[in-house]
Amino acid sequence: ICACLVGSEMCIRDRYERLWHDERRSRPQGRPQDDGRGGLVIMAKINFSETLTLASDKVSRNIYLQSISQGCMSMLPVVIIGSFASLFSGLPVNFWQNFIQSTGISGILAAVVSATTNMLGVFFTYGVASAYAEKLKITNKVAVILALVVYIALLPTATLDTGTTTPSTSYMGTSGMIVGFLLAFLTVRLYKAIVDANIVIKMPAGTPDYVSNTFVSLIPGFIVVIAAMVLRGCLLYTSPSPRDMRRSR
């Protein structure tokens, strides 16, 4: 939606500018025409065009909408591959369904869907965080990886039959996409604020860049992860535990 909104801004602007020029060419005298109700047709169209152009400019220049648009568009190949895999897997043709079931292709297609469509929340979080970090002039990719760490750390957990807990995959798809956008913005912004405050480990002169960049991201990484842990703890205390649910029964 954001990609269409930002991408259509140029089309909207060109359309109404063309309408204004056509109106001027149809009246060479340049005299405004009274619409019979005290209003001026040409001036109304000009004002509406200018208002729409200003609004579209503000939308297209919004750094958050730009990051969402560019981040989601960068993952378009993954979306298309997952869509084709889902299409071929659910094609309602008896011959095709019997063929993919007998040859095991249905399991392969299901694996592709699980790795693409069912993981869009993770991919979009990475894409938006990467685009937002680029706009904030952050060259270290650790900030983007930290957004994924926070996203996965805040996922709900599922208990297996063995008693161990693991992050639930139900929110790795489009169900957790909006939360992923917010976490991407917050993580990258917090990382930049810490680095700008010079709360980093400085290495001696002559240290290679890849080594110094690693230590520069160490303290911001700890702070971001600790903030995620505190937030997850708050969420656990505000949600009912299985013991409370048993007592309520």
Side-chain angles (χ1 to χ4, degrees):
I1 295 175
C2 294
C4 295
L5 184 62
V6 176
S8 62
E9 178 267 332
M10 294 296 294
C11 298
I12 296 175
R13 184 191 305 174
D14 293 341
R15 176 186 176 186
Y16 283 97
E17 285 183 354
R18 193 182 310 113
L19 177 64
W20 180 75
H21 288 298
D22 292 342
E23 185 71 24
R24 292 297 300 272
R25 283 196 299 268
S26 63
R27 293 178 174 84
Q29 298 87 354
R31 297 175 56 189
Q33 180 184 1
D34 196 339
D35 60 355
R37 293 173 296 178
L40 299 178
V41 176
I42 297 180
M43 293 302 298
K45 290 183 178 180
I46 294 175
N47 293 334
F48 177 74
S49 177
E50 291 177 352
T51 302
L52 188 63
T53 302
L54 292 175
S56 60
D57 285 340
K58 290 182 179 180
V59 171
S60 63
R61 294 175 183 176
N62 187 280
I63 187 174
Y64 300 104
L65 291 181
Q66 286 181 353
S67 300
I68 293 175
S69 175
Q70 296 175 8
C72 293
M73 290 299 294
S74 64
M75 298 299 163
L76 185 61
V78 178
V79 176
I80 294 177
I81 292 172
S83 300
F84 273 102
S86 179
L87 174 65
F88 291 140
S89 177
L91 197 63
V93 178
N94 293 331
F95 167 76
W96 174 254
Q97 290 296 326
N98 295 332
F99 172 73
I100 63 176
Q101 292 290 339
S102 60
T103 57
I105 298 178
S106 60
I108 299 175
L109 292 175
V112 174
V113 173
S114 299
T116 53
T117 304
N118 294 345
M119 297 288 288
L120 285 180
V122 178
F123 297 142
F124 284 162
T125 300
Y126 178 86
V128 172
S130 180
Y132 187 55
E134 183 179 353
K135 293 185 179 301
L136 295 182
K137 309 299 181 182
I138 300 176
T139 57
N140 199 330
K141 294 299 182 182
V142 176
V144 181
I145 301 300
L146 287 174
L148 290 180
V149 172
V150 173
Y151 179 78
I152 296 175
L154 295 179
L155 285 175
T157 56
T159 304
L160 302 178
D161 296 336
T162 57
T164 59
T165 58
T166 181
S168 176
T169 58
S170 58
Y171 288 93
M172 289 186 178
T174 55
S175 299
M177 184 173 60
I178 303 301
V179 177
F181 293 165
L182 297 176
L183 293 177
F185 294 138
L186 292 175
T187 302
V188 175
R189 176 62 71 175
L190 179 59
Y191 178 91
K192 181 175 175 56
I194 297 171
V195 173
D196 291 343
N198 206 19
I199 309 176
V200 295
I201 298 176
K202 295 183 179 180
M203 300 299 294
T207 305
D209 292 338
Y210 66 91
V211 177
S212 60
N213 290 335
T214 302
F215 282 92
V216 164
S217 303
L218 192 58
I219 294 180
F222 270 112
I223 296 176
V224 169
V225 172
I226 291 174
M229 293 171 59
V230 172
L231 179 59
R232 182 172 182 84
C234 295
L235 294 176
L236 289 176
Y237 277 107
T238 55
S239 60
S241 63
R243 181 178 59 185
D244 296 334
M245 295 177 65
R246 288 195 298 268
R247 288 179 178 177
S248 63
R249 294 176 183 176

